[in-house]
Amino acid sequence: MTHIPPPAEELRLLDTELRQLDARRAQLLDRRAWLVATLQQALRPIPPVPAGPVARSEATAPGVQNVLLLLGGVLLTVAAMVFTLVSWGHLGIAGRSLVLGAVTLAVLGAPVALLRRGLRSTAESVAGLGLALTVLDAYALYAAAFPAADGTMYAAVASTVLAALWTAYGTALAALPGSVTVRLPLPAALTVTQLPLLLWVMAAGGGVYAVTAAVLLTAAFDAVVALRVADRPVRLVALVCAFGTGGWGVLTAGLLSLEAAGSGTAVRAAALLALAAAIALGVARFAPHPELATATASTAALCGVAGLGGVLRVPVPGDWVVPVYLACGIALLGAVRGQEAVRRGVAWASGVVQAGAVLWAVPAVGVTLLGPAGWLRHAWSGAPADARAAATVDAFWPPYAVTAPLLLVAVAAVLATAVRGEEWRPQALTGALTLTWAALLVTPAALQLPYTVGLLMQGLTALALLLPVTRTATGLALVTSLGLVFLSLASEPATLTVLASLTVVCAVAAWRERLAPVSAAAALGCATTLACAVGASADWRPEHIALLVLVVPAVAALVAPRIGDCATTVAVEVTGAVAGLVAIGLAVSDPPLLALVLSLCAVIAAGTALRPERRAVGYAAVVLFVVAAWVRLAAWRVGLPEAYTLPVTVPALVVGALRRRRDPAASSWTAYGPGLAATLLPSLATAWADVEFTRPLLLGAAALALTLLGARHRLQALLVLGGSVLVLDALHELAPYLVQMTDALPRWVPPALAGLLLLALGATYERRLRDVRKVREVLGRMN
């Protein structure tokens, strides 16, 4: 019978077996981990040993091969040309024909054998040589058999025959079995095809219109080849030729249209431009890329505008030529049809025409704005204002710019009505506003209105531009105000009235939040100009006008703290500073008044520095005070350098002492160095050239005091500067005796001293080299 132990005994046995199983499992896991690590280490790849630098080839083998083949072909071609042109006369007619014919046939047939052996590059070079030999054959045939033939006619026949032969040759080579073929003959044939039609027309006695038509037809042929032929080299050559001949034809036709003096010539030029437009539209219709379609459509539209405008401009006066072309360009917007790329191209062409019209009117705007600036040299002369304005317009007014207002208004209307997209609508409205402003600005000069009317129109324009609170309108208002100031210089009452009005208007506009920075600055600028004008009106001298101009920076300093907007505050302060510089510039010619102006500017700057956020302006106030003192001393003809340097040194030392009190760790060089150097160095330079005893004695005493003070308080700047100046001052006093002692020395002493110095240096150098050798030997004996 099976013995069944009691439950307690059975539980003990089970726990014992489980502990044995856990111990065995732990042993097996340790063994497994060791085996895995061993296998990973055995299978780990050996890191590659870094190789030394490998010389990089500067040219690839195919590149070398192609260069050699190209050079070989070129040299053989040159040799053939030399043989044909120089050595030809040594052979008879039979010999000439036999040699050139045999060589040409052999060279043209060689690429077949080369292609069968897979030598495509060599075959290309030999084929190129063969094509060049055919050209030489044509020349030789002309020189030998047809010397009396017309050169142009023979060139037309030869180019036609060569184009046909090269095309047949390239087609035959391409038809050879195998995947390797020669690509050169067909592009070369297409290149020669550019000549036959042009030469045939020239040989037939065709004029410039016929030649231009031949060029355009050749461009049409190239365009067809570029769009229809699948071979990439041929397509690229056709594309280049199409652009080249097409650009040549369009440019020539455009010049003919511009130079046409009668309706007949204008119509013929327009026919040529219509042909060019038809070719460009055909390319746009079948172009595989939208960008190419857009570009060619733009070209077609521009050709149409040039042709139609050239016909319409003949009967109209010269002033209306540009409006005629502009009307044709605007009419393009109503003729936009077809594909999206074509419509985009026509729209771009219309934009180009309108931009050209605007550029045509820009000189008129510039003369209107800046032309009166020439009155600055002769402001308020006795000539009437209307006469001076008319003289300025006659001197600088560009030709055909009488219609400038019409051009600008027409383009502005197109921008405001034709551009509807949300992306471009804001820019279009901005452009329309700018062009309308330019038209209003130019209208008085274009219509030759009286001077007062032009002045009033510019003023109203500037005032109207301040109503819409936009950046563009504000900028245009400022530009108009500047032009208005220039225009008002023709008359003294007009100048004072305009400047006073602009000052008031800009000050009122500064209450509008968005216009505050610009308007406040403009108001102060106009006030500065008004102060100058008032002083000039009262026949004051410039230095006296400077005192009147100082009212502007004073007002700016008083108003700036009461402005809440930071940008407006900065604009007011900067404008006030500029007005202060203007005052200083006006007072330069009178030193006493310049010192007074500088002192007043320093007072204004010091008042500004009282504000906590403008403490840095205090430095400018100190500089202005110092410069004012210098100018006053120069006016008094004071020559002592200490009189100029002590006003700098004393404030600098006070500032340094305050800084050291706030920050005891601050360097004495930063606190006291600049102030002390400002006086000590100029005084030392003056004392060194002074033959008297007083200045060196006082300077030495001051340097000694500084040295002792630096030693007492352990201040490096005082100790070094004072000691250096003291030593140099003592050397200055001992200099005569040193010179006498030097004269008493024998002449051999300086060379001896120099020799000893060189010997000492040489011994030191040799000793150091010996130490280096010893170190190297010790290192060499080590394992």
Side-chain angles (χ1 to χ4, degrees), residues 214-319:
V215 172
L216 291 174
L217 291 176
T218 305
F221 171 76
D222 295 332
V224 172
V225 173
L227 293 174
R228 295 301 181 187
V229 175
D231 189 35
R232 182 178 176 81
V234 177
R235 190 167 66 249
L236 290 177
V237 173
L239 190 63
V240 172
C241 292
F243 278 114
T245 54
W248 177 17
V250 169
L251 181 61
T252 306
L255 293 176
L256 290 175
S257 178
L258 290 175
E259 295 173 357
S263 300
T265 54
V267 169
R268 282 189 287 175
L272 293 175
L273 290 170
L275 175 60
I279 296 171
L281 283 178
V283 173
R285 171 68 179 81
F286 298 100
H289 302 290
E291 295 80 7
L292 181 59
T294 301
T296 52
S298 299
T299 304
L302 291 175
C303 289
V305 170
L308 183 59
V311 174
L312 296 178
R313 74 168 181 83
V314 175
V316 300
D319 295 343

Side-chain angles (χ1 to χ4, degrees), residues 128-232:
L129 176 59
L131 299 181
L133 288 177
T134 57
V135 178
L136 294 177
D137 288 338
Y139 170 75
L141 185 62
Y142 172 74
F146 305 103
D150 181 64
T152 306
M153 179 64 71
Y154 183 83
V157 174
S159 60
T160 305
V161 173
L162 286 176
L165 289 177
W166 289 7
T167 302
Y169 180 65
T171 305
L173 289 179
L176 291 175
S179 59
V180 181
T181 183
V182 176
R183 300 177 180 177
L184 180 62
L186 290 178
L190 182 61
T191 305
V192 177
T193 309
Q194 311 303 308
L195 300 176
L197 185 57
L198 176 63
L199 293 175
W200 279 112
V201 171
M202 294 175 64
V208 63
Y209 292 93
V211 171
T212 306
V215 172
L216 291 174
L217 291 176
T218 305
F221 171 76
D222 295 332
V224 172
V225 173
L227 293 174
R228 295 301 181 187
V229 175
D231 189 35
R232 182 178 176 81

